[in-house]
Amino acid sequence: MFNIEFSEKPCYHARDTMKYQGLYTAIVTPFKDNQVDYDAFRKLIEAQVAAGVTGIVPVGTTGESPTLSHVEHMEVIRKAVEFAAGRCQVIAGTGSNSTAEAILMTKEAEAMGADGTLQVCPYYNKPSQEGVYRHFKAVAECSSLPVILYSIPGRSGIEIAVDTVVRLAKDCPTIVAIKEAGGSVERVNQLVQALPEDFAVLSGDDGLTVPFISCGACGLVSVTSNVAPALMKELVDAALSGDGKLATQLQKKYYPLMKGLMSLDTNPVPVKAALALRGDISWELRLPLAPLAEEKHATLLNLLRNFNLA
């Protein structure tokens, strides 16, 4: 076991006092008969609010945004704002590999009352870092919504370079945070060293929550919290409070759950299967995602039972 010194860096929006720290749930989009199941969606959000999460992030990777139509995408955001009813932040996933589309969706999300926007690094296009900078700057300038950048090279093909994040933080007051999902503690160190004190770094990897926070990150955007919001809040709270011993114990305790929900299949297949096993949602994904293999259901069910989640 090792001792961890935890950062006490405050994380404030540059233009107001809204904090971007704590636990955010990258919430799934439930389907029923190939339509968004808003009754189930409301219940999922109620469970998140009851657990005391800081916020929810609809229509990101876990929310299957690539297979939603534009109308569905925006309606999910509208319903998330309605169902949350100001009890937690709603950070709308309105990123795209088309700058014009990202601008359009971000403006619509602002009009719907979202508290912020998550902007993924443009995928497939593989722009230069100058292109990445111009893309995010254009999105930031289209509205007054706080922007959380989202660097996930495993899906986008490129990362948002540290120097690019620094440029954007300097030139765009509404770009206030980054969700870091590159799996590198060293990169978190680099970001924290280079960025202003009021710029938030959020972990995008459940299993790296404690090491990321120990280096100065101030929260987590979680997949696991879809099924275990109270457990993940306990972990994040311990890390943010500076209780390194407890945080490390919880990290070790909950790691099998976090790992299982990300390794049994591509996200969000395992976490949606877990919710379906509990009866929270229907067993539906949209192609090209395929259902969890039958032989893995027992493994998943045992995992949930080990943590009293089923």
Side-chain angles (χ1 to χ4, degrees), residues 11-14 19-21 24 91 117-119 146-151 160 165 168-169 172-180 191 195 198-202 218:
C11 305
Y12 301 102
H13 175 216
K19 294 182 180 181
Y20 292 90
Q21 65 180 42
Y24 293 81
I91 309 300
T117 170
L118 183 72
Q119 291 290 326
V147 176
I148 300 177
L149 306 175
Y150 181 13
S151 185
I160 311 171
V165 180
L168 289 164
C172 306
T174 57
I175 297 181
V176 299
I178 183 169
K179 176 186 174 183
E180 178 52 43
L191 288 166
L195 289 164
D198 59 3
F199 196 97
V201 177
L202 302 169
C218 53

Side-chain angles (χ1 to χ4, degrees), residues 120-137:
V120 69
C121 185
Y123 42 89
Y124 188 77
N125 313 59
K126 297 189 75 172
S128 67
Q129 286 301 308
E130 181 62 25
V132 171
Y133 169 82
R134 294 188 185 193
H135 168 84
F136 287 124
K137 187 170 187 291

Side-chain angles (χ1 to χ4, degrees), residues 267-287:
N267 180 47
V269 176
V271 71
K272 290 195 82 174
L275 289 167
L277 280 168
R278 300 198 319 190
D280 295 337
I281 65 174
S282 297
W283 291 83
E284 285 193 37
L285 298 144
R286 281 191 176 167
L287 289 170

Side-chain angles (χ1 to χ4, degrees), residues 121-259:
C121 185
Y123 42 89
Y124 188 77
N125 313 59
K126 297 189 75 172
S128 67
Q129 286 301 308
E130 181 62 25
V132 171
Y133 169 82
R134 294 188 185 193
H135 168 84
F136 287 124
K137 187 170 187 291
V139 173
E141 290 174 345
C142 84
S143 83
S144 61
L145 275 185
V147 176
I148 300 177
L149 306 175
Y150 181 13
S151 185
I152 181 165
R155 289 186 183 258
S156 294
I158 58 172
E159 68 178 11
I160 311 171
V162 173
D163 289 347
T164 303
V165 180
V166 172
R167 273 183 83 190
L168 289 164
K170 177 177 181 292
D171 296 344
C172 306
T174 57
I175 297 181
V176 299
I178 183 169
K179 176 186 174 183
E180 178 52 43
S184 170
V185 173
E186 175 61 20
R187 185 172 145 91
V188 172
N189 275 309
Q190 292 170 358
L191 288 166
V192 170
Q193 290 292 320
L195 289 164
E197 286 292 314
D198 59 3
F199 196 97
V201 177
L202 302 169
S203 173
D205 292 290
D206 287 322
L208 292 173
T209 302
V210 171
F212 275 21
I213 290 177
S214 75
C215 294
C218 53
L220 166 69
V221 182
S222 174
V223 173
T224 306
S225 58
N226 276 281
V227 296
L231 299 187
M232 295 308 295
K233 187 175 188 301
E234 181 186 22
L235 173 63
V236 171
D237 286 352
L240 289 176
S241 73
D243 191 339
K245 182 177 181 180
L246 176 60
T248 304
Q249 290 173 343
L250 293 174
Q251 172 87 13
K252 181 178 179 180
K253 180 179 179 180
Y254 299 149
Y255 180 77
L257 176 64
M258 296 185 285
K259 178 69 173 177

